Amino acid sequence: MSLFGLGRNQKTFRPKKSAPSGSKGAQLRKHIDATLGSGNLREAVRLPPGEDANEWLAVNTVDFFNQVNLLYGTLTEFCTPDNCPTMTAGPKYEYRWADGVQIKKPIEVSAPKYVEYLMDWIETQLDDETLFPQRLGAPFPQNFKDVVKTIFKRLFRVYAHIYHTHFQKIVSLKEEAHLNTCFKHFILFTHEFGLIDKKELAPLQEIIESIIAPY
């Protein structure tokens, strides 16, 4: 059995989240699927004409959460407390965990523990209807974009860890094209809506510049 008590062939370590219910979420998801199917990622991240920016951020936040979950799920037998005793992105960057509620002072934890804390923390936010309203037309909180920015900043750290520590394993699993496409989509989205500060992106700066430069 691998981490989180899942069998080796199980690719994700938690159930997939669905978008906020109601026809709006479903419509926006169809739009994402259609534009992604065209292969034009720049088009896929743009706010569709006439749509609410918060609704668009909400649906995409759920999608990117699911994507990172699936990607990391392929690595749970390699990303272990022994192999990854701290959550790093190369030799210069180390991430410590704090959620401001249960753990107020940042603590050093292994990479798998960090990701477990992170995914639980994001899931709690997604399930909180005062932050991510489920009912169609229910108002979003005034600080909604700040909530989303913190989620994306922390999801980025999982990508940074995967690229720096597990990329060779991803290549051996023949997952690198999928990883690169997911990351490109993620970066174009965060760039489009200004969700992650440039200094936070430093661990993968070269890859990010190569993604953004053509656009």
Side-chain angles (χ1 to χ4, degrees):
M1 294 293 275
S2 61
L3 205 66
F4 305 106
L6 294 180
R8 276 162 188 264
N9 298 328
Q10 214 160 336
K11 293 287 193 201
T12 178
F13 59 89
R14 64 190 59 226
K16 194 171 179 208
K17 298 290 295 178
S18 53
S21 53
S23 59
K24 176 63 71 182
Q27 281 168 7
L28 290 175
R29 172 142 288 108
K30 276 187 187 149
H31 177 86
I32 293 169
D33 289 344
T35 47
L36 278 178
S38 73
N40 183 344
L41 289 175
R42 172 53 86 199
E43 202 51 47
V45 300
R46 279 206 186 105
L47 178 66
E51 294 297 349
D52 178 73
N54 285 337
E55 294 271 11
W56 184 238
L57 286 174
V59 170
N60 279 279
T61 301
V62 173
D63 271 4
F64 285 116
F65 167 77
N66 285 330
Q67 269 182 19
V68 174
N69 237 327
L70 283 165
L71 281 166
Y72 184 76
T74 65
L75 294 167
T76 50
E77 30 175 327
F78 315 109
C79 187
T80 64
D82 288 340
N83 292 339
C84 303
T86 53
M87 178 66 172
T88 58
K92 287 208 273 186
Y93 300 96
E94 181 188 318
Y95 303 116
R96 298 182 173 211
W97 179 256
D99 59 15
V101 183
Q102 266 126 352
I103 301 171
K104 294 190 174 169
K105 193 175 172 193
I107 56 170
E108 186 180 299
V109 291
S110 69
K113 192 70 190 166
Y114 186 99
V115 176
E116 186 186 356
Y117 276 139
L118 173 60
M119 296 306 179
D120 285 346
W121 175 80
I122 294 175
E123 204 156 18
T124 301
Q125 314 249 352
L126 296 179
D127 290 340
D128 183 343
E129 294 211 23
T130 65
L131 295 177
F132 284 82
Q134 299 287 329
R135 280 190 344 253
L136 202 57
F140 285 85
Q142 286 196 310
N143 67 334
F144 183 66
K145 191 165 182 185
D146 291 332
V147 170
V148 168
K149 283 173 84 165
T150 306
I151 290 173
F152 275 84
K153 175 178 80 173
R154 291 179 166 180
L155 283 175
F156 169 79
R157 295 170 178 180
V158 182
Y159 275 117
H161 178 70
I162 291 173
Y163 271 106
H164 276 282
T165 310
H166 300 295
F167 190 68
Q168 287 314 313
K169 185 52 70 179
I170 290 278
V171 170
S172 71
L173 293 169
K174 298 189 167 46
E175 293 271 346
E176 75 268 27
H178 178 61
L179 170 68
N180 290 339
T181 301
C182 289
F183 185 59
K184 183 175 182 181
H185 183 200
F186 178 88
I187 286 302
L188 289 174
F189 188 82
T190 59
H191 186 67
E192 178 80 9
F193 294 98
L195 298 178
I196 306 179
D197 293 342
K198 195 168 180 186
K199 68 177 188 301
E200 287 283 341
L201 299 171
L204 297 178
Q205 189 177 349
E206 284 179 32
I207 300 174
I208 291 165
E209 283 172 1
S210 71
I211 290 170
I212 292 169
Y215 292 92

